[in-house]
Amino acid sequence: MKLYIFRPTNPCFCFVFQMELKLLLIATLLGVFCCSISQGNECINANAKYCGECIQAGAKCGWCRHPDFLKQGEAVSSRCDELQSLLIRGCSLADIENPRGGQRVLLDRPVTNRLKGADKLRLENITQIQPQKLAITLRAGEPQSFNLKFKRAEDYPIDMYYLMDLSYSMKDDLENVKNLGTSLMQEMTKITSDFRIGFGSFVEKTVMPYISTTPAKLLNPCTGGLNCTSPFSYKNVLKLTSDGKRFNTLVGKQQISGNLDSPEGGFDAIMQVAVCGDQIGWRTDVTRLLVFSTDAGFHFAGDGKLGGIVLPNDGKCHLENNMYTMSHYYDYPSIAHLVQKLSDNNIQTIFAVTEEFQPVYKELKNLIPKSAVGTLSANSSNVINLIIDAYNSLSSEVILENSKLPEGLTIAYTSLCKNGIVSEGENGRKCSNISIGDEVMFTIDVTATGCPKMGKPETIKIKPLGFNEEVEITLNFICECDCSSGGIADSDNCTLGNGTLECGACKCNPGRVGRNCECSSNEVATEDMDRTCRRDNSTDLCSNNGECVCGACECKKRDNADERYSGPFCECDNFNCDRSNSLLCGGNGLCICRECICKPNWKGSACDCSLDHSTCMASNKQICNGRGTCECGACKCTDPKFQGLTCETCPTCPGVCIEHKDCVQCRTFGTGEKAERCQEDCSEFSLVKVKDRGELPQPNDAAYPVMHCKERDANDCWFYYTYAVNNNTKEVHVVDKLECPTGPDIIPIVPAVDLEVADGHPRPEGVRQV
């Protein structure tokens, strides 16, 4: 047996009973509603005192505003319940406050279907994401879903900034980069007709111990007669331009510098490239690529302490005459800080590094979305192919990100990518292997768990990483019910006008408490009043069966007038006692404060134990034939050999087999002394036929005694059966075939003689010689 909890006619109250699983399934099919006990009903758990609190508790919650909805003893919070429960409890649909969320598309330009070589469009007229603006109204717990389309546009403009390590170990690489501009321009025209390139370089912070600060080393950090330029942190050499020859000219004038330690100050340079948009020349509606070229590792936040620099990087632009001037003042940025700034400025990063440092930068790539790592040859001769491959890798993947979410807001993504691939969770944010002209779709669910503290509209943005385009979403929150605006201040319904009648309930003025604002909080503190309504320091007010009105419990009324709560804490009732045969107190007692008070001659928790011994009286006028005791009106045999209502049967006693032999024989084989009157005399037991003796019940197989019998009929044939009493039912299992003695084998005694007569007559036809 299992315990189930069901909701009766009034769904606010639950009753408990036992039933088999099969009955549970039948009840479910018939539409029986499983009760939402208080731990599982978010509407009841909210303990809402007014409509606004109720609708914020969850999307399933409604508020009944009808003035006469509450019954005696029901708290104001009982107006807040699941919609189906409110209807069953008698609140009409017209009286239920249940506002729903919604959405409106404010800007919905279609994605661009532009082909390379077609008329050139203005950057602001190229659209890769749709829609662009939405207004969403959110109800707590109710998701609002919308679709976002992304399409890679043909011939999309690209800005590429080449940031190079100019420490001494990169001397050979610089020679190959000097001709990069025009060569890269030629290759990129295969991708876009609108390409610009810029150049910057970095070495290290200009303080010890990163560089030597002796005057001679500050002028020329190199040794062996090599002429190197003074060390510097970061220098913007060339603003983004479409002139590849100018790139070659300016880069050709660059000189190698030097520093003392192996990690370089590349993070300082990346930060300045990201945040100094005007000096770098980043355009707005383009793909922004940053190529970071080095053969060394990097310093990051905290390493500046070695040089006495303790101020965290401020993430602001500090370029004067194209030189970073605050490297000695601010620490290196952290990886998280860089990720934020690169994302904010829609910059995709390509790390072109030597094979030795591949593992380091691959780990870094995992922390920086929309970044790629390529292996730089020893002298950077493969840099163009590296950039092209990395760009193709980056542009073939779209990853959505959202701005910081207001408290209590969640976003879930589902992607529908090429070839019908569907992903959810974190993978639902992205699609891979996207070619130019491919469309992919995202379904985005926005859910609020409550209302912001101020209740004002909020704005969030969703965009594909590395792109400037975005979806702007204005969020409005349903924090109050429509009926709240029609509240009646100083209503007579609220005890001498001490509250506002709002949505059918009193919203008390400051200093007043109670269902109808009938109590003054100055006279008795609310917590003190509540304390007197709690039994034995329980957390439940009035045992959850009533309302605490000014320090006293007012018990709820039941739909069934015969059922009621009682007691100073509403802790008693007359319907939650034990049941027997589906009857309260077995129909043999009264339920008083959840305990059965039994009638005379009955006892037990469900009054199901009879004290009447007449049912145990045997035909010989003895209780249980003197072989047992009478317990709750039934015999309990003291000798395990005996069974039956009055311990009258002994299945294993001698003589049982002989007693039933004739009846078993006539019912099984139709023979024997009782064959003529079998139906009249032999119907007291149930008969089960089996094929062989192995199928007969065995003594150890059953929970009751089994007697094995072997009897002989008039033809000297044996038959086998068992006799047992199971729950007062006599059972016989019998083998349905007789075992009879076999006749003599005649073949051995037939003389082996030739049947042919001596006079030569032939054998009779059909007779053979043995």
Side-chain angles (χ1 to χ4, degrees):
M1 302 291 283
K2 296 184 179 180
L3 184 67
Y4 300 96
I5 301 178
F6 278 93
R7 185 189 296 278
T9 304
N10 185 341
C12 287
F13 312 104
C14 297
F15 62 87
V16 181
F17 63 96
Q18 289 182 327
M19 63 188 301
E20 294 291 348
L21 180 59
K22 184 184 295 184
L23 294 179
L24 172 63
L25 296 175
I26 295 173
T28 304
L29 292 173
L30 291 175
V32 178
F33 300 107
C34 187
C35 172
S36 298
I37 56 178
S38 60
Q39 287 83 354
N41 190 325
E42 58 188 357
C43 312
I44 294 175
N45 286 343
N47 196 29
K49 297 297 191 295
Y50 61 93
C51 189
E53 283 185 340
C54 177
I55 63 172
Q56 292 180 47
K60 296 180 180 179
C61 301
W63 176 272
C64 185
R65 62 171 180 262
H66 195 283
D68 300 325
F69 173 68
L70 294 182
K71 299 176 182 178
Q72 179 183 330
E74 288 186 330
V76 174
S77 60
S78 296
R79 292 181 177 273
C80 183
D81 204 342
E82 294 179 358
L83 303 182
Q84 189 176 30
S85 297
L86 291 175
L87 291 171
I88 294 174
R89 291 169 58 197
C91 188
S92 69
L93 193 60
D95 286 324
I96 295 177
E97 284 287 321
N98 179 35
R100 312 312 297 174
Q103 56 185 271
R104 289 183 299 119
V105 178
L106 305 179
L107 185 58
D108 194 30
R109 289 196 310 268
V111 291
T112 302
N113 290 316
R114 173 193 181 205
L115 297 176
K116 187 177 178 183
D119 293 339
K120 191 168 184 178
L121 295 176
R122 296 171 61 90
L123 292 179
E124 59 269 23
N125 292 332
I126 299 176
T127 303
Q128 297 186 118
I129 191 169
Q130 181 188 4
Q132 294 79 41
K133 283 190 178 181
L134 286 170
I136 293 180
T137 302
L138 289 171
R139 159 94 184 265
E142 178 192 23
Q144 288 296 321
S145 177
F146 67 94
N147 291 330
L148 185 151
K149 182 190 295 182
F150 178 86
K151 181 178 181 179
R152 265 189 75 189
E154 179 85 18
D155 200 22
Y156 199 73
I158 298 174
D159 282 355
M160 179 183 292
Y161 191 85
Y162 196 94
L163 181 59
M164 184 174 182
D165 176 5
L166 285 190
S167 59
Y168 183 76
S169 59
M170 293 288 285
K171 182 175 182 297
D172 293 341
D173 303 78
L174 180 59
E175 294 302 318
N176 284 302
V177 173
K178 288 179 179 180
N179 297 317
L180 178 65
T182 53
S183 301
L184 192 55
M185 281 283 184
Q186 292 174 359
E187 288 296 322
M188 293 303 288
T189 54
K190 300 175 184 178
I191 298 173
T192 177
S193 60
D194 190 355
F195 176 72
R196 301 197 311 166
I197 190 170
F199 184 82
S201 58
F202 67 91
V203 182
E204 187 54 274
K205 288 184 180 296
T206 54
V207 295
M208 283 289 287
Y210 314 108
I211 67 166
S212 173
T213 55
T214 60
K217 290 295 183 181
L218 286 175
L219 290 175
N220 182 6
C222 298
T223 58
L226 293 174
N227 187 21
C228 296
T229 190
S230 299
F232 58 92
S233 176
Y234 162 67
K235 182 194 305 182
N236 178 33
V237 177
L238 175 64
K239 191 174 181 178
L240 288 160
T241 177
S242 57
D243 188 349
K245 293 182 180 179
R246 178 171 164 75
F247 179 94
N248 292 349
T249 301
L250 286 178
V251 175
K253 296 179 181 180
Q254 300 306 302
Q255 288 182 287
I256 292 295
S257 185
N259 60 311
L260 295 178
D261 62 340
S262 176
E264 314 294 8
F267 275 16
D268 273 344
I270 293 176
M271 178 62 78
Q272 293 303 298
V273 171
V275 300
C276 298
D278 292 339
Q279 290 90 328
I280 302 300
W282 294 117
R283 290 179 291 177
T284 302
D285 297 307
V286 299
T287 296
R288 297 177 175 180
L289 297 178
L290 169 61
V291 180
F292 181 86
S293 176
T294 185
D295 64 349
F298 47 83
H299 284 296
F300 53 90
D303 289 354
K305 293 179 180 179
L306 295 172
I309 303 171
V310 296
L311 284 178
N313 194 286
D314 65 351
K316 296 179 180 179
C317 181
H318 296 288
L319 289 185
E320 294 182 13
N321 296 322
N322 287 318
M323 297 289 290
Y324 179 39
T325 59
M326 301 298 285
S327 70
H328 65 288
Y329 192 75
Y330 289 116
D331 193 6
Y332 304 98
S334 67
I335 295 175
H337 201 179
L338 272 185
V339 169
Q340 176 196 341
K341 292 301 180 180
L342 290 170
S343 175
D344 290 346
N345 292 281
N346 307 307
I347 296 172
Q348 304 178 58
T349 310
I350 299 172
F351 295 105
V353 297
T354 54
E355 186 173 2
E356 178 186 359
F357 286 94
Q358 281 282 306
V360 174
Y361 283 90
K362 283 184 177 178
E363 289 295 327
L364 183 60
K365 169 190 174 297
N366 293 333
L367 300 174
I368 302 179
K370 292 295 283 187
S371 63
V373 178
T375 303
L376 192 66
S377 62
N379 58 5
S380 297
S381 58
N382 69 329
V383 69
I384 292 179
N385 289 334
L386 184 155
I387 291 172
I388 298 296
D389 291 344
Y391 169 75
N392 288 332
S393 173
L394 288 173
S395 60
S396 67
E397 182 176 59
V398 57
I399 303 174
L400 296 184
E401 70 164 359
N402 50 264
S403 59
K404 185 178 180 181
L405 300 178
E407 186 178 355
L409 195 77
T410 60
I411 292 185
Y413 295 86
T414 302
S415 62
L416 177 58
C417 305
K418 290 177 64 175
N419 302 321
I421 298 174
V422 178
S423 300
E424 296 178 342
E426 279 304 304
N427 289 330
R429 291 175 174 265
K430 63 183 179 180
C431 282
S432 303
N433 300 318
I434 302 173
S435 303
I436 292 174
D438 287 342
E439 282 187 4
V440 293
M441 191 73 70
F442 295 88
T443 298
I444 301 172
D445 294 322
V446 184
T447 309
T449 57
C451 280
K453 293 180 180 178
M454 302 302 294
K456 295 181 179 180
E458 299 273 0
T459 299
I460 61 172
K461 295 179 180 180
I462 298 175
K463 68 175 184 178
L465 278 171
F467 294 87
N468 190 58
E469 298 174 66
E470 62 191 12
V471 181
E472 183 180 294
I473 305 171
T474 301
L475 302 174
N476 296 287
F477 300 89
I478 301 176
C479 300
E480 291 291 344
C481 299
D482 292 339
C483 59
S484 300
S485 59
I488 302 173
D490 305 323
S491 171
D492 292 337
N493 289 17
C494 304
T495 309
L496 303 177
N498 285 313
T500 299
L501 185 62
E502 184 179 292
C503 300
C506 285
K507 196 171 184 179
C508 298
N509 296 335
R512 303 296 297 186
V513 293
R515 176 170 165 176
N516 296 314
C517 310
E518 63 270 32
C519 300
S520 170
S521 59
N522 295 327
E523 298 172 2
V524 184
T526 303
E527 55 268 22
D528 291 337
M529 288 191 291
D530 286 352
R531 188 177 299 115
T532 60
C533 293
R534 291 190 176 100
R535 182 186 184 190
D536 299 330
N537 294 323
S538 170
T539 58
D540 297 329
L541 287 175
C542 301
S543 308
N544 283 332
N545 297 320
E547 183 180 11
C548 186
V549 180
C550 299
C553 285
E554 186 177 319
C555 298
K556 296 175 183 176
K557 283 189 175 181
R558 302 275 293 177
D559 285 345
N560 186 340
D562 294 331
E563 298 177 353
R564 61 187 177 275
Y565 291 106
S566 60
F569 302 100
C570 303
E571 74 277 13
C572 294
D573 64 59
N574 66 343
F575 54 87
N576 263 324
C577 289
D578 289 344
R579 295 172 181 261
S580 178
N581 295 324
S582 300
L583 296 176
L584 193 67
C585 299
N588 303 312
L590 297 176
C591 181
I592 299 177
C593 201
R594 301 187 178 183
E595 184 177 349
C596 286
I597 305 301
C598 300
K599 296 177 182 179
N601 285 330
W602 291 94
K603 68 176 182 177
S605 63
C607 299
D608 53 354
C609 181
S610 173
L611 300 178
D612 183 7
H613 290 179
S614 62
T615 54
C616 297
M617 191 70 67
S619 57
N620 60 6
K621 305 302 180 182
Q622 286 186 310
I623 297 294
C624 303
N625 275 296
R627 298 166 179 153
T629 58
C630 188
E631 297 182 8
C632 295
C635 283
K636 185 175 182 180
C637 303
T638 52
D639 190 334
K641 292 189 299 182
F642 288 91
Q643 295 177 266
L645 293 176
T646 57
C647 304
E648 74 278 6
T649 304
C650 179
T652 58
C653 290
V656 168
C657 294
I658 294 296
E659 179 183 349
H660 294 90
K661 168 189 173 182
D662 292 338
C663 283
V664 172
Q665 184 179 357
C666 77
R667 287 183 60 181
T668 307
F669 308 107
T671 60
E673 295 182 5
K674 294 189 177 183
E676 299 298 329
R677 57 182 188 279
C678 191
Q679 187 173 356
E680 294 82 3
D681 294 352
C682 300
S683 59
E684 64 175 351
F685 57 82
S686 63
L687 184 75
V688 179
K689 296 180 181 180
V690 299
K691 296 297 183 183
D692 55 57
R693 278 186 277 173
E695 297 181 31
L696 292 174
Q698 300 301 312
N700 295 330
D701 292 344
Y704 46 86
V706 177
M707 186 68 176
H708 277 253
C709 300
K710 176 182 177 183
E711 297 296 333
R712 180 182 293 175
D713 64 10
N715 297 319
D716 285 336
C717 294
W718 295 97
F719 57 96
Y720 299 86
Y721 63 94
T722 62
Y723 177 81
V725 179
N726 180 13
N727 289 331
N728 298 318
T729 300
K730 298 176 181 179
E731 294 179 352
V732 171
H733 288 70
V734 58
V735 179
D736 61 1
K737 292 182 181 179
L738 295 167
E739 288 189 7
C740 298
T742 58
D745 189 354
I746 64 171
I747 293 178
I749 62 175
V750 175
V753 297
D754 193 337
L755 296 181
E756 187 175 351
V757 294
D759 60 358
H761 289 113
R763 302 182 188 92
E765 184 178 352
V767 178
R768 64 181 179 86
Q769 183 175 358
V770 178

